[in-house]
Amino acid sequence: MQLLSDRILNMSTSATLAMAAKARELRGEGKDIIGLSLGEPDFNTPDFIKEAAVQAINDNYNSYTPVDGYADLKEAIITKFKRDNGLTYSPSQIVVSTGAKQALFNIAGVMLNAGDEVILPCPYWVSYSDIVKLFDGVPVEVKTSIDTDFKMTADQLEAAITPNTKMMWFSSPCNPSGSVYSEAELQALVDVLAKHPDIYVVSDEIYEHINYGKGHTSIASFEEMYDRTITVNGVSKAFAMTGWRIGYIGAPEKIARACNKLQGQATSGANCIAQRAVITACTESPEKVKYMIDEFKQRRDLILGLLNDIEGFKCNVPDGAFYVFPDVTHFYGKTLKGTKINNASDFSLFLLEEALVATVTGEAFGNPDCIRISYAASNEQIIEAIKRIKEAVS
């Protein structure tokens, strides 16, 4: 009898976590690795949030929490959705989870049956495809390119729809490309979806506040999409709270209840102290973390200027998140310092071993032409990292 399940044997390892592990291994060997692979802000959690957590400890919050979240946290999330997204939810439509990744697992687990197709505009966040496949869904990848800022068009969406299409998953701002769909671009997609009323949308908005000018529009704010959209969000990125592990959804009530049911058999309620802190994060104005957004924008401009000075790197200007996603196909087929570069994975590994800079292959995100570089690092680290990359490929 086979020890491990086909399910786990067929699942990919997270490329971002795998690269981080490889970088740690090389650091353990004494090598000076600059890590630009993980999607994690390098800021500390703001003091006003930490103080709320300390107060919760002093107030003796230590018991199991409701599966779908504290009632007052859900009210804070409802306030946030109304303030930032123009969305009106009731408490029964909110589910708080141990990170946005668990929220995505819940959604797939309660909505997908074998053979259901899920449209994924490429590039997509690294875990979407495997989460869909874990629940016997079929990822349908829609290719985009740097020339269209990695955004799916209405015509591409229409062409990808089949009688088996159950859902569309996407993120805006996008991880890994930093692309932000404008209101007009979303309207074009909505016009297509309006002709297919049985298709549901997962809108991953975890980076909504890390936005450099276009502003953020939630697809659920379109009247015809509200009852067909599950909006996924959390506090990891904009509030530098990755380790606090709190995500949440706003969804049609039937879907939210199903997610609550599934989560009740998995982790139950999220961490009590983290939930109390997130009440403060959701209640305060996003202006309180604008200093981080301003710093990220400055770093974006810095890294783009440096990369554009390297022959072979083709970059667009991302409007959100904290990644650049350069096209590096110029290097395919070439031999760099004795290493043959056949694809993005080869190139990313070459940069780690030769330049001592950790990036992530675009193949993990459904786009084999690119690599993802995070600029959630200090100016000094960015400058040194790109200097090393330039020397390695020269």
Side-chain angles (χ1 to χ4, degrees), residues 46-249:
D47 286 343
F48 72 93
I49 297 174
K50 292 190 288 187
E51 289 163 4
V54 172
Q55 185 61 51
I57 293 171
N58 290 334
D59 289 343
N60 294 312
Y61 279 91
N62 51 34
S63 301
Y64 287 130
T65 61
V67 172
D68 54 351
Y70 284 125
D72 48 353
L73 172 55
K74 293 170 72 172
E75 289 295 340
I77 291 168
I78 288 167
T79 298
K80 172 260 172 296
F81 271 130
K82 184 68 174 178
R83 179 193 67 210
D84 299 341
N85 311 104
L87 299 174
T88 301
Y89 290 112
S90 65
S92 60
Q93 293 177 276
I94 306 296
V95 179
V96 178
S97 300
T98 303
K101 185 180 287 189
Q102 184 182 25
L104 292 167
F105 263 80
N106 288 345
I107 294 162
V110 305
M111 294 194 69
L112 294 180
N113 287 312
D116 287 344
E117 293 179 354
V118 179
I119 294 172
L120 303 179
C122 299
Y124 48 75
W125 181 55
V126 64
S127 292
Y128 287 173
S129 181
D130 274 291
I131 292 174
V132 168
K133 288 187 284 189
L134 180 66
F135 291 98
D136 299 321
V138 179
V140 176
E141 298 186 353
V142 177
K143 304 296 183 184
T144 66
S145 74
I146 196 169
D147 298 317
T148 58
D149 285 330
F150 302 108
K151 288 183 274 191
M152 178 176 66
T153 66
D155 288 342
Q156 287 180 303
L157 173 58
E158 184 73 76
I161 293 173
T162 77
N164 294 322
T165 304
K166 179 73 174 284
M167 307 183 78
M168 179 185 93
W169 289 24
F170 80 114
S171 60
S172 178
C174 175
N175 175 4
S177 69
S179 304
V180 178
Y181 283 84
S182 68
E183 183 175 359
E185 289 164 338
L186 287 176
Q187 180 67 68
L189 299 181
V190 169
D191 290 343
V192 173
L193 292 167
K195 296 183 287 184
H196 304 275
D198 293 329
I199 297 175
Y200 281 74
V201 172
V202 168
S203 180
D204 181 349
E205 303 181 11
I206 193 80
Y207 290 92
E208 70 168 317
H209 294 308
I210 307 177
N211 193 307
Y212 308 128
K214 280 195 172 182
H216 179 77
T217 301
S218 296
I219 195 168
S221 66
F222 293 85
E223 183 178 357
E224 55 267 65
M225 292 307 301
Y226 175 80
D227 290 327
R228 298 165 52 193
T229 300
I230 304 97
T231 304
V232 179
N233 212 319
V235 293
S236 291
K237 311 302 181 179
F239 295 95
M241 296 177 70
T242 51
W244 297 69
R245 308 310 302 135
I246 298 291
Y248 54 85
I249 64 169

